[in-house]
Amino acid sequence: MSTSGTGTPSTTPTTNPTPTSTTPTFEVDKAMLDGATPKDLLPTTGNYPTEIVRYRSVVLTDIPGAKPGRKLTGAIDLGEENLPFYDRPAEGMIVTTEQTWSAQGVTLGRLLHSLALAPGESTRVAVVDWQRSTKATGTETTSEADTLSATTDQNRSISEVANAIAREEQFGTSQLAQSSRSSSSGGSIGVSFFGIGGGGNWSESSNSGFATAVSRSTGVKSVADEATQRISARTQQLATAARSRNMTVVRETTQTEKDQVVTRVVTNYNHMHAMSVQYYEVVQVYNVTTKPTKLERCLFIPLQELTFNYTSLQRYKEVLASVAPADWAAKIRAANPFDTAVRKLDACTAPEAPGAQAFDGVELTDLAASAMGVYGVRKFDGSPVRFDPVSRQWNPLPTTGLDSDLIRIAPGKDTVWAIKTDLTVVQFDGTAWRIDPQGGQGRALACGPDGTLYVVGTDGTLYQRTLTSSYQSLNVTADDVAVVGRDKVWYCRQGQTWERSGTGWLERTPAPNVQRLSAGPDGVLWGVTAAGKALVVEAGATTWTAPQNALLAAVPSLTEVVSSVNGEQWALLKDGRLLRILTAARETPIPFDVPSKADSPYASKIDVWYDEAGIRSIQVVFPGQTFRCGDTGGSGVQRHASHTFGGADKLLSVDAWSGTAARGSLAGLRLTMTSGVVNFGIATTTTVAPDLTEDSGGAAICGLFGSTVKSGSRTYVSSLGFYVRGGNVPQAVLDHLNDNRRHYSQAVWANADELTLSRILANYSYTPAGSNAAPVLLGTLLDPKPIAATGNYLGFRWNFSSEQERQDWTKTRQPGDNTFGTPVTNTIAIATKGVFAEAVLGRANAAEKIDLTRFWNWKDSPIQITPADIAPVSTGTRAQNLDTTVAALGATQAKFTPVAAMPDPTALQAVQAISTANLFRDMSGLNAMSQVLTKGIEAAASNDKDAGQRGQEAMKSAMEHLQKMTQIAADAGKTAASAVAGGGAGAGAGGNLSALGGMLNQGGKAASDGGSAAKS
């Protein structure tokens, strides 16, 4: 650290050369020198903000593609009802504004209080800071029940006979002699300085007495009484009171109290000036700078007005009631669409379908199947055909590019492969046939689910070709090949079969002379022997077995067998005929049940997926829940139909048609609603009467039940039923909500949950105006939490799909184009809890001039003005006792009438009279004799007591006389000592300065008076 006068190393050079015109000079920054008060150690304000506040505002900037608004030429009608809502997305931004508060210092504000003190005055000041918060909550649950029952019996029978005789004889003689005497004496004497004093007193008393008493008494008493009493009383009472009370009260008590007392003594120590203590409010001064600092992109999504029905009413009941008028709010809360009984329809079960179907007029030479469907080669012209599961017909494929007939066909992943009569491999791309660019030739072929092609060459060698490579030999000789899965390849050679295992092959036995192989998308391998019989290797197995379908096992003269995606088999006979064989053994149905709950909402949507065989899957959407049964993406071509239920849509009846899958399934479904008829499956085209019809009685769907059944690799709906419930909501409530749907819709939008909004946004995309980027789903770019609501718009944060897009958007809104605005700085003063006290002396001198003739020395007589006592400051708690006790149970209403007491027996009174104490009078006079003797003894004792008291009084008189004589002597000695000392009265008067000043003042006056007399 540098010292004062030497400078700091950074500013003061080490040498001091003589300045010249070319020599630079250095000036020392004296502010940086350490002195008595270094600046860097002094606290300062305003250098840094003490508080930073940020707030956001949402701005709608543009509605791309919006129609121009009306031209404002006159007054606007606020009551217009047909104003359109926003109908397209709008863009906006979130402006983040930053406000910094920099402290500049403190200043004095209002004068809060002024305390004036006279010279030497002192007072006390007390400041009480007290605050309290109280919160009380409790819980009370009471249940009471009273039951009282009683029966009382009283029976009594009494016969009484009482005889009593009392005899007594008394004789007594008493003699008593008594004598008493007492004496006392006392005296006192006292001597004083001037004389002697004394006193005395004496007393004496005596008493004597004699008494004699003789008594004699004789008496006889006889009492006889007889009574007969018979009392019989029976009282039976039954009182029953049953009460039930359930009460729930919640109480919770929390009290927080703060009490602070500060007392101070304020004294004016000035002797000659008054002083005023002025208390000012301390004010903190800030410089507040406000400026926009950040922009965020947001997107406003328009929403349609709601149509209120039973479901929406139940879902948004509390929201709707909170914004409804008081009378309608009560009606909305009271409406409950789910308080009626549940009806359960009978299951719509489809009958079993026949086991086989022959396609007359269809003759094929080859048959193959994959996930793309079932394909074949027509026998009479060698053209390719495909089975349409919807129309249930074989339809020809385009033959563009074909110059000869086909002999083999193999559908793959996205392409159909085939071999022409000249053994050339060709490929169908969906519109035309073209020769394999790799120049493949062969006698048999198969395509896997991944698009890999396997071809048995003209020399019997098995080749493999992927989508991106040429043919590669697998170094085996084969007659036929089939693919049951990814890298799962089988081939046969001279009746034996092999399965690919890694890079090698494993022979699978037994294989009784298998000549033809085929497979389908279900992973099942089919083989046909030289005798035309079918064999099968189930999915995941390695052994050949007879097919479980007895119908298929009994078909003779087979050429080829394949499996399709819907669990059925296609059999090609040697004569070209084609059979469609369904699964003979139906699997056990799997039930499903989605019962309605007490508060479950009604179904809002139903979706049905189906193929040519029947209904594959049904999905019913309830608000907050979606249930789906059956295939949720199984193999095969499926068609989809959907229906959205209206607000007051109710189910009137159900019609069902049976299908051909799984020996019976639902192929068609018709729902007759109050809003119209809804058809699914073959119900949309068939004119055949339904196999089953159910009447629902006109109620809303609130659940479903039924079963599904497997058919090969596919699943079908085999039975179906619905839970239905009628609505119990006054139509006036729905009418009111729909008449004011704009108001109530805005309330629902403002309270929409993030899950619902996220699910909705995930189904829409949006491209900014002028952008060439591909549309992106809003669910991936928008934050599902709304940030603003205006009209029918909900605003969401709109994220950027790339960093480049963020930079481009921000660059167009830089501060240079005044988007951010100009920072604004204001000075704001904020009152604090601090108080500043300033003492101000009075201008006038309140004391008298210094004069020894006046009384001025306060030490001689201290100021008697003391501060007045203030009332004791109470710091006791001000908390109130909150009653959280449980209310007592009411008095029971079950009461009994008191049973009357039975009377006592009469004869007992005679016995009680005989047994009374002191039956005979005392005639001895002994009590009177005792009283006489007692009085005599008391008289003798009192005489002695009086004599002692008189002696004490005499002694007291003597002592008082002696004290008076002593006081007289002391006063005389004091007077004599004063006379000997002398000095006059003035010598004792100079004990303090005030007295001395008075003497000087008096002397001055005397001198002045004497001088005047001499002069005169």
Side-chain angles (χ1 to χ4, degrees), residues 45 50 102-107 281-286 828-832:
T45 59
T50 59
S102 300
Q104 300 300 310
V106 295
T107 184
E281 178 184 39
V282 177
V283 177
Q284 180 76 50
V285 180
Y286 292 89
I828 297 179
I830 298 179
T832 66

Side-chain angles (χ1 to χ4, degrees), residues 176 925-935:
L176 178 63
L926 184 59
N927 293 335
M929 182 65 68
S930 299
Q931 294 177 0
V932 172
L933 295 178
T934 301
K935 293 294 184 180

Side-chain angles (χ1 to χ4, degrees), residues 453-537:
L453 179 65
Y454 297 88
V455 177
V456 178
T458 55
D459 59 352
T461 303
L462 182 60
Y463 294 91
Q464 172 183 323
R465 176 192 183 279
T466 62
L467 296 176
T468 59
S469 65
S470 59
Y471 287 98
Q472 297 178 1
S473 175
L474 298 181
N475 301 320
V476 295
T477 303
D479 296 331
D480 200 1
V481 64
V483 182
V484 296
R486 185 179 182 88
D487 295 331
K488 294 182 179 181
V489 185
W490 289 67
Y491 78 88
C492 64
R493 175 66 176 173
Q494 296 178 357
Q496 302 300 316
T497 58
W498 283 264
E499 180 185 8
R500 189 173 186 177
S501 176
T503 58
W505 299 88
L506 296 177
E507 183 177 1
R508 300 304 184 187
T509 57
N513 200 12
V514 173
Q515 302 295 324
R516 189 70 182 268
L517 297 176
S518 60
D522 56 357
V524 178
L525 177 67
W526 293 92
V528 178
T529 67
K533 294 293 185 181
L535 295 176
V536 65
V537 177

